[in-house]
Amino acid sequence: MLTIKVITLSALCLTQHSIALASPPKLELKYFDARGAAETSRLLLTLAGAEYKDTRYTITPGTMAAPAFLAAKESNELDMNLSRAPVLVVDDEVTIGQSRTIERFLARTLGLMGDSEVEASLVDCITEHCRDVKDAQMKKGFSFFTRDKTDEEKATAREEWFSEDMPTMLGKIEKVLQQTSGATGYAVGKQTSYADAVIFSLLGDGMGADDNTSSLKAAEKCEQLTAIVNRISTDERVSKWLQNRPVTKF
């Protein structure tokens, strides 16, 4: 009987130690005062209700200069991302670079990569499909940053993208979701994942209201994609975050 008590006490101590080790890390996300390459990470943190420091480098209007960013480069704070932003600082000790690496780290740490290695691979697969869509959109060449086209040429490319190219690609992703989803509004299984966040970022959180409207119209025949966007946008934490986040041009 004594042995059983000792084992139980040892198990209790081990459990308490494991809980201590599993305590959430201290996080600081460093990026410009913009959505850009850091907004999906901010969304993941919001979905998980995680605390973090949101350090933003202010961009001077009209010049695109960011003095705080330059100071961070010069002080070697951004070395892990080749002197670029974003970076994620973990427990004031380790700095992680590359935006998608940061996203995957957060997804794993915050429990947003599914319930198994197989589900994690499916989540990863879907996020890469969404990346293909974003890459194709950039190649289409109608964004704010495109400099080698006239406004008329951009307008034509934009119309082609949202009416033809994007619906075709989204239709293919919808077929994937028909195999991976376990419930309406979830990309993989029956719980919120990194894939849901990326789908919302792609279709419901573009550079402006016009892009969001056009993206959702392109997805109008994709029931699962639309359901995911609707579910994430109405999440209590996300809706509050969307209302209160800084208003930026991009």
Side-chain angles (χ1 to χ4, degrees):
M1 192 68 176
L2 179 61
T3 303
I4 293 175
K5 289 183 178 179
V6 171
I7 293 174
T8 303
L9 181 61
S10 298
L12 177 61
C13 292
L14 180 60
T15 299
Q16 291 175 336
H17 179 63
S18 299
I19 291 173
L21 289 177
S23 60
K26 179 181 178 182
L27 302 170
E28 180 181 5
L29 184 63
K30 299 182 179 183
Y31 190 60
F32 299 100
D33 186 20
R35 285 174 283 168
E39 203 69 349
T40 299
S41 290
R42 294 181 182 127
L43 174 58
L44 291 169
L45 288 157
T46 300
L47 281 167
E51 294 184 5
Y52 72 104
K53 184 177 180 180
D54 187 15
T55 298
R56 292 171 176 256
Y57 305 126
T58 301
I59 301 172
T60 305
T63 67
M64 297 300 288
F69 167 72
L70 293 177
K73 275 177 61 175
E74 291 170 2
S75 66
N76 302 319
E77 291 178 28
L78 307 178
D79 283 358
M80 285 299 292
N81 200 11
L82 309 183
S83 298
R84 302 170 301 182
V87 295
L88 181 71
V89 182
V90 182
D91 290 332
D92 294 323
E93 295 179 352
V94 178
T95 300
I96 301 171
Q98 291 290 350
S99 59
R100 289 181 179 85
T101 300
I102 292 169
E103 291 170 11
R104 287 177 171 84
F105 168 80
L106 290 173
R108 291 193 302 271
T109 302
L110 302 174
L112 297 170
M113 284 297 284
D115 285 334
S116 66
E117 283 301 313
V118 170
E119 284 197 355
S121 296
L122 294 176
V123 168
D124 208 19
C125 170
I126 292 167
T127 64
E128 287 303 302
H129 290 332
C130 291
R131 179 180 180 179
D132 288 343
V133 176
K134 293 187 74 171
D135 288 347
Q137 180 173 340
M138 287 301 296
K139 288 179 181 178
K140 198 72 178 179
F142 58 86
S143 76
F144 169 80
F145 300 100
T146 301
R147 295 287 180 262
D148 60 348
K149 288 183 179 179
T150 65
D151 288 344
E152 184 177 331
E153 289 172 331
K154 285 186 181 182
T156 299
R158 187 181 189 282
E159 172 62 26
E160 289 177 352
W161 170 254
F162 285 113
S163 65
E164 300 174 19
D165 303 337
M166 191 177 193
T168 299
M169 296 189 77
L170 294 180
K172 294 178 179 179
I173 296 177
E174 180 74 8
K175 289 182 178 179
V176 172
L177 298 181
Q178 290 171 3
Q179 299 183 53
T180 60
S181 175
T184 300
Y186 296 86
V188 176
K190 298 181 180 180
Q191 65 181 23
T192 299
S193 71
Y194 174 34
D196 297 318
V198 171
I199 288 169
F200 174 77
S201 296
L202 176 67
L203 301 177
D205 197 29
M207 290 298 101
D210 288 345
D211 277 3
N212 291 339
T213 299
S214 297
S215 294
L216 289 173
K217 182 172 177 56
E220 63 184 355
K221 295 182 180 179
C222 303
E223 294 182 3
Q224 192 61 272
L225 283 170
T226 302
I228 290 168
V229 174
N230 290 339
R231 185 180 65 80
I232 296 298
S233 65
T234 55
D235 177 273
E236 184 177 354
R237 288 170 174 163
V238 173
S239 59
K240 183 178 179 181
W241 170 67
L242 291 172
Q243 291 174 2
N244 296 330
R245 68 181 176 179
V247 178
T248 59
K249 288 186 176 181
F250 55 88

